[in-house]
Amino acid sequence: PSQLRPHCLAWDRLKLWFPLTTRVATGSDRKFLAITEDNLERVLVVMNLSWAVGTRECYGAGLLVFHVFCDKRRIPEDQHCPMDTRTLLNFVSSCAGSYSGKTLGNYVYAVKAWHTPHGQPWSIQQDQLKAALDGAVKLTPASSKREKRAPFSIKLILEIRSHLDLRTLRDAAVYACLTSAFYTLCRLGELTVKSMIAFNPTKHVKRSNVEFNTEDRHQFHVTKIFLPCTKVSATGDHVHWAQQSDLMDPKAALLHHLAVNNPSADGHLFAWRH
């Protein structure tokens, strides 16, 4: 254990795990700047928010694996950061075959991201790193590989519908969410929450975010849904779908859900009573 790496949640490790050398209130001439320790802490907090919570969680897991590797190899703290190309290649090659290439790539990006808020340079030979990561992809263990799945299609969703009972409150909400996700081409995570207690009205879609009978930029009649936060935009974005003439109609599915579940204006759009 190290005092530089206190016990904390994964999404806080980028901020709370410090390298031996970190951002200080002195300039290149070693003269003290008009910056307090509180100012430096504020910089760290703000920069940490540049990554989404899910990304910070992933990076936190990567940092843990990296530091376990360093501790087992007895690599001195001052060699953890700033990172040397040879140490990073040693980390990648040691983990290759135990993790998927994609996971290992994310762990490398985690180490790089860790340098940023703490004001440390990232001077890595990118051609060597790319070669190592490409090799790691080829060594991905079979247990980490999955066959590609067929994309969602109208036929598949209608098959799912045949197994739902839209008279039940949960299935009505599920089908409304599914058809809206399909026709807006948005990520399911942008229309759902991980648990009931995870709902945040400033980040998750609400009933009040829906606008029926509006027009898109081509003057087509659509229903517009505002997503307060998306994977690529912390300030949110609008998505649209148009009414369909079959059982896949997202408008009919959403109106049915709203009629039977009646979520509050500030409640999650696809919440159901239970």
Side-chain angles (χ1 to χ4, degrees):
S2 171
Q3 293 182 343
L4 296 171
R5 296 184 289 279
H7 179 70
C8 62
L9 296 173
W11 62 53
D12 284 328
R13 288 175 187 157
L14 283 178
K15 178 181 67 174
L16 299 181
W17 282 13
F18 283 81
L20 191 62
T21 302
T22 188
R23 199 182 299 274
V24 294
T26 56
S28 57
D29 57 0
R30 297 184 179 276
K31 292 183 179 180
F32 280 95
L33 304 173
I35 299 175
T36 66
E37 290 298 323
D38 287 342
N39 295 149
L40 294 177
E41 173 64 19
R42 179 61 178 171
V43 169
L44 196 58
V45 170
V46 171
M47 293 183 72
N48 190 56
L49 293 175
S50 67
W51 294 283
V53 172
T55 301
R56 298 203 305 267
E57 283 183 320
C58 176
Y59 284 178
L63 278 183
L64 177 62
V65 173
F66 170 70
H67 285 295
V68 168
F69 160 80
C70 290
D71 291 344
K72 286 188 173 181
R73 298 298 179 93
R74 300 184 182 278
I75 296 173
E77 287 286 350
D78 61 351
Q79 294 180 22
H80 293 203
C81 179
M83 174 59 58
D84 179 82
T85 297
R86 289 162 296 184
T87 302
L88 186 60
L89 295 179
N90 190 10
F91 170 62
V92 172
S93 61
S94 297
C95 294
S98 298
Y99 299 93
S100 72
K102 181 178 180 180
T103 296
L104 193 49
N106 284 333
Y107 288 175
V108 169
Y109 299 142
V111 178
K112 179 180 180 181
W114 182 52
H115 282 57
T116 301
H118 298 288
Q120 298 305 302
W122 179 258
S123 304
I124 299 299
Q125 296 295 320
Q126 294 300 318
D127 54 344
Q128 296 182 45
L129 176 58
K130 182 180 184 302
L133 290 175
D134 287 346
V137 170
K138 295 183 178 180
L139 292 175
T140 296
S143 59
S144 297
K145 296 179 180 179
R146 293 182 179 178
E147 293 184 3
K148 291 185 177 181
R149 300 178 182 179
F152 268 70
S153 63
I154 292 177
K155 180 180 179 182
L156 175 59
I157 294 179
L158 289 177
E159 176 65 22
I160 293 174
R161 185 184 188 278
S162 70
H163 294 279
L164 298 176
D165 183 355
L166 300 186
R167 295 170 297 181
T168 65
L169 303 179
R170 184 192 63 180
D171 287 3
V174 167
Y175 192 63
C177 182
L178 180 58
T179 52
S180 285
F182 182 79
Y183 281 110
T184 57
L185 297 178
C186 68
R187 300 172 179 86
L188 274 177
E190 294 169 345
L191 294 181
T192 59
V193 291
K194 292 183 178 180
S195 67
M196 289 187 293
I197 62 174
F199 174 67
N200 183 336
T202 65
K203 295 183 178 180
H204 299 121
V205 64
K206 306 178 293 296
R207 181 173 184 170
S208 58
N209 294 137
V210 179
E211 185 178 351
F212 290 101
N213 302 320
T214 185
E215 292 184 348
D216 65 8
R217 60 183 178 179
H218 302 294
Q219 285 74 55
F220 293 122
H221 292 289
V222 296
T223 291
K224 181 167 64 175
I225 303 175
F226 175 68
L227 305 178
C229 182
T230 72
K231 185 174 182 179
V232 297
S233 175
T235 58
D237 201 358
H238 286 92
V239 293
H240 312 78
W241 47 245
Q243 185 173 4
Q244 306 296 308
S245 59
D246 54 21
L247 295 177
M248 280 281 294
D249 180 22
K251 185 173 184 178
L254 182 56
L255 289 175
H256 173 64
H257 157 64
L258 296 179
V260 298
N261 283 301
N262 193 28
S264 64
D266 292 327
H268 195 279
L269 175 58
F270 298 107
W272 71 84
R273 292 186 290 113
H274 58 284

